[in-house]
Amino acid sequence: MAYHQELEPEPEVGALRLNSESNQVESLPSLDGVEEILGYKFENRRLLEEAFTDSSFPDKRVSYERLEHVGDSVLNLLFTKEHYFKYPDLPPGALTRLRAANVNTEKLARVAIKHRLHRFLRHKKPLLEEQIREFSEAILDYPLHSNGLVDVPKVLADIVESLIGAVFIDCNSSIEIVWKVFKDLLEPIISQEMLKIHPVTELYEVCQKKHLKVKFVDLWKENMAFDVFIDDQLVGRGTHGLKKEIAHNRAAKDALDNIGRILGKKGSTDES
């Protein structure tokens, strides 16, 4: 008697892809965890899902970009209002710098890391997990802010803004409710007393006061670096493998760390 084995039909490629995507969604932690972190229950659950869907994710119907746009504006308004009443004598320029320090990419990315919001992000970016790990380790050297010395995965700041936007829409545009939900999550909030000057700005200010000549030499094309000369003497170097701006900032920081000996030598020369 002939024996015929019945074989299972192979799934179509589209079905395989769908199953893979479904498994990825299932492996992510429940968005209930986000509501627990916020202490806020969404009326419209779709807003919460949208806030954590990156444009790289196969579900092209939604991405967080529109909510991020809303959240960015809301966050700026929240800090504008908070600082206006907290610092009644602070001029507009100082208020702008203070707001910028609290809403910039690195500051918001730290919020995402602190509360582990990135765990809930739906995406298909193969390098993102490693970039987040490197950022998490790099900021350990800078408890409050690096002022441009570390590479920041922008998506971390994006999901904080998109989440703010989602809550804003969900609570019928109540600024008071949004501030109540996020104020503690945004800690530490940078105050006027905590505000630090950007290393490049600080270097120019120090040298201007001391009548020293500063020169940055762009070596990015050769070895991804910047050199800093003060009165024609090499005092700092900064490198970064991916971003020219970070190498520039690191060079300024290195020069600031070394400038004491230059000033000391200049003082000794002036006395003699």
Side-chain angles (χ1 to χ4, degrees):
M1 179 184 291
Y3 176 72
H4 299 283
Q5 182 180 11
E6 294 186 6
L7 299 177
E8 293 280 343
E10 293 187 4
E12 298 179 1
V13 174
L16 284 172
R17 186 181 298 118
L18 181 60
N19 289 337
S20 175
E21 292 163 7
S22 299
N23 290 338
Q24 181 182 351
V25 173
E26 291 173 3
S27 67
L28 292 172
S30 169
L31 290 174
D32 292 346
V34 178
E35 293 181 318
E36 291 176 8
I37 292 170
L38 298 180
Y40 177 86
K41 188 76 172 177
F42 277 83
E43 294 290 335
N44 183 353
R45 185 79 172 192
R46 289 181 178 272
L47 288 169
L48 181 55
E49 295 173 359
E50 183 178 336
F52 283 93
T53 303
D54 184 78
S55 59
S56 66
F57 196 70
D59 186 353
K60 296 298 184 183
R61 292 172 298 173
V62 296
S63 83
Y64 63 65
E65 292 172 354
R66 282 168 52 83
L67 288 176
E68 176 206 346
H69 172 74
V70 173
D72 175 66
S73 298
V74 171
L75 189 60
N76 275 277
L77 176 58
L78 287 171
F79 274 107
T80 298
K81 179 182 176 182
E82 176 74 4
H83 293 152
Y84 178 83
F85 291 107
K86 186 175 182 178
Y87 302 102
D89 299 322
L90 213 57
L95 287 170
T96 299
R97 288 191 293 273
L98 191 56
R99 180 184 63 196
N102 280 288
V103 302
N104 67 30
T105 300
E106 182 180 331
K107 180 65 173 65
L108 297 182
R110 286 170 176 263
V111 172
I113 293 295
K114 180 180 178 181
H115 301 287
R116 303 185 67 202
L117 293 173
H118 54 284
R119 294 179 298 133
F120 303 94
L121 179 64
R122 299 191 300 174
H123 69 91
K124 294 287 285 184
K125 293 180 175 179
L127 301 179
L128 182 58
E129 299 302 324
E130 178 63 18
Q131 292 168 349
I132 291 175
R133 185 191 65 78
E134 291 176 355
F135 173 70
S136 300
E137 294 177 356
I139 61 177
L140 295 177
D141 294 329
Y142 310 96
L144 187 62
H145 204 289
S146 79
N147 282 294
L149 301 179
V150 301
D151 192 7
V152 185
K154 183 177 178 294
V155 67
L156 292 175
D158 290 347
I159 59 175
V160 173
E161 291 180 330
S162 66
L163 190 53
I164 290 171
V167 172
F168 178 73
I169 298 298
D170 191 69
C171 70
N172 295 318
S173 309
S174 170
I175 292 293
E176 289 73 22
I177 291 177
V178 176
W179 185 239
K180 183 179 180 180
V181 170
F182 284 95
K183 184 178 181 181
D184 289 342
L185 295 175
L186 294 169
E187 292 285 354
I189 292 175
I190 298 174
S191 65
Q192 177 67 9
E193 295 73 28
M194 298 160 63
L195 191 62
K196 291 187 176 181
I197 305 175
H198 191 281
V200 176
T201 303
E202 184 179 359
L203 180 62
Y204 277 114
E205 288 182 356
V206 168
C207 291
Q208 185 177 17
K209 290 179 182 177
K210 301 293 183 180
H211 305 290
L212 301 172
K213 182 178 68 175
V214 185
K215 180 182 180 183
F216 282 87
V217 178
D218 186 349
L219 302 172
W220 179 257
K221 290 184 179 179
E222 291 82 4
N223 53 17
M224 297 182 178
F226 272 85
D227 282 348
V228 182
F229 290 83
I230 295 179
D231 280 358
D232 299 321
Q233 183 173 346
L234 178 64
V235 294
R237 165 168 282 205
T239 62
H240 192 269
L242 296 174
K243 294 186 178 179
K244 185 175 181 178
E245 180 184 3
I246 294 177
H248 186 250
N249 296 339
R250 288 180 174 179
K253 178 63 169 61
D254 191 43
L256 285 167
D257 292 342
N258 297 325
I259 200 171
R261 59 184 176 84
I262 302 301
L263 295 177
K265 287 182 180 180
K266 183 177 177 64
S268 300
T269 303
D270 291 343
E271 289 175 5
S272 62

